[in-house]
Amino acid sequence: RTAPPPPTTTPRCRGSSPICRGSFSSVPTVVTPRESEFASAAPRARMGTLPTAACVLGALLALAAYAAAVHALYAVSEVRELTPAQLGVACFYALVLAAWAGVEAGFLTDKLSPKYTALELTESDAEEQTKFADAASGTDYDAKPVPETAVLGVTRDKLPALRAAAEFVVIMGYVYVCDRTVLVPKGPKTADMSKFWLLNGLILLCALLTLRPSRGMSEDTHAKPLQRDQTEEWKGWMQLMFILYHYFAAADIYNAIRLYIAAYVWMTGFGNFSYYYIKQDFTLVRFAQMMWRGH
């Protein structure tokens, strides 16, 4: 008679390794593909619940803070009757801030949560287990790509766009505080051409001290006329002139400002035409970028 084989003990694995090394036996135990997927998915599922809850909580707190800020602004606002368009924009801003705050909270929670790592194996153990797995199934389960971490479907590479959108909402709120509330006093414009030209001269001096060559250009390269760096520089100067013209009520340069506006519109159209002609990109995304950014 032969004694029955002793029961084998399969220890619990940590991490996503398809093979576990027994603590009470030197014989490696092969984990099936289904068990391997479960072992790799279990830590991710346990880790995914807390960031999701943090995302929802962060979004709710952002909505509460936004509602309190809007209520406080309305109390000191000069506009007492809001149009449907204004209410719609306010609701859209609330959604943007909630999405940004929730995703930030979710990824921060995921970053601070403990990570589950695989057991440390010696080089001989790793080689032995690899040979055993290849002989058993002929499939390398570790070659399966790990899915990117996401919070409610939002991946980490979408964070810059959400941060830019939230920054835009904050800037628009600051503009509203300065222009539509009684917190910032308003006064009549003062036409002072000496200050106007003095400020222009200081800006020109700063520009001369920060000259740099165009991107991708060298001393031996011929600069093409109306390249993007050049037109962007011109449009920036004209925007400064527009702001200073209205701030100082400089009626003496009214005709020059009209010419600047015409030149600005022409260069914007020229830049969009050049992009479409060279890149042949007629997608809806590019059209929306053109209509929103203006260049």
Side-chain angles (χ1 to χ4, degrees), residues 54-55 58-59 61-62 96-106 166:
C55 177
L61 291 177
V96 170
L97 288 179
W100 164 73
V103 173
E104 288 280 7

Side-chain angles (χ1 to χ4, degrees), residues 35 83 89 94 109 135 167 200 226 228 244:
E35 293 173 345
T83 64
V89 170
T109 304
E167 182 181 358
N200 273 280
L226 294 180
R228 181 168 184 177
L244 295 178

Side-chain angles (χ1 to χ4, degrees), residues 3-241:
T8 59
T9 303
T10 303
R12 181 174 298 177
C13 295
R14 293 180 294 170
S16 58
S17 176
I19 300 176
C20 298
R21 181 168 174 262
S23 300
F24 306 100
S25 175
S26 60
V27 179
T29 303
V30 178
V31 182
T32 63
R34 184 176 183 84
E35 293 173 345
S36 175
E37 292 177 0
F38 177 78
S40 62
R44 188 173 295 275
R46 284 183 291 168
M47 293 292 291
T49 304
L50 186 59
T52 302
C55 177
V56 175
L57 180 60
L60 293 177
L61 291 177
L63 287 176
Y66 179 80
V70 169
H71 181 74
L73 286 178
Y74 184 76
V76 295
S77 175
E78 297 177 349
V79 181
R80 307 311 302 175
E81 295 182 2
L82 301 177
T83 64
Q86 291 172 331
L87 293 175
V89 170
C91 293
F92 174 74
Y93 287 167
L95 294 177
V96 170
L97 288 179
W100 164 73
V103 173
E104 288 280 7
F107 280 115
L108 179 61
T109 304
D110 180 72
K111 180 180 179 181
L112 299 178
S113 299
K115 299 297 184 290
Y116 296 89
T117 57
L119 291 173
E120 294 184 359
L121 303 177
T122 63
E123 185 177 354
S124 60
D125 292 335
E127 293 178 357
E128 180 183 3
Q129 292 182 357
T130 302
K131 293 178 181 178
F132 194 89
D134 293 340
S137 62
T139 305
D140 184 9
Y141 301 113
D142 282 341
K144 183 179 180 180
V146 179
E148 187 177 0
T149 305
V151 177
L152 291 180
V154 181
T155 55
R156 194 175 296 273
D157 59 345
K158 302 298 189 302
L159 269 178
L162 285 175
R163 289 169 179 169
E167 182 181 358
F168 175 78
V169 173
V170 173
I171 292 174
M172 294 304 296
Y174 176 74
V175 172
Y176 189 89
V177 169
C178 296
D179 197 51
R180 289 292 184 269
T181 64
V182 297
L183 298 177
V184 179
K186 300 175 178 60
K189 296 180 180 180
T190 57
D192 192 338
M193 295 305 297
S194 59
K195 293 182 180 179
F196 173 82
W197 291 115
L198 176 62
L199 189 55
N200 273 280
L202 293 176
I203 296 174
L204 178 60
L205 179 62
C206 293
L208 292 175
L209 295 176
T210 56
L211 285 176
R212 59 172 178 81
S214 298
R215 290 170 293 183
M217 300 294 296
S218 61
E219 297 180 356
D220 300 332
T221 306
H222 176 68
K224 298 179 181 180
L226 294 180
Q227 58 178 323
R228 181 168 184 177
D229 285 350
Q230 187 180 31
T231 55
E232 293 292 331
E233 180 79 12
W234 288 351
K235 288 194 290 186
W237 276 104
M238 286 188 287
Q239 288 177 357
L240 287 173
M241 294 296 292

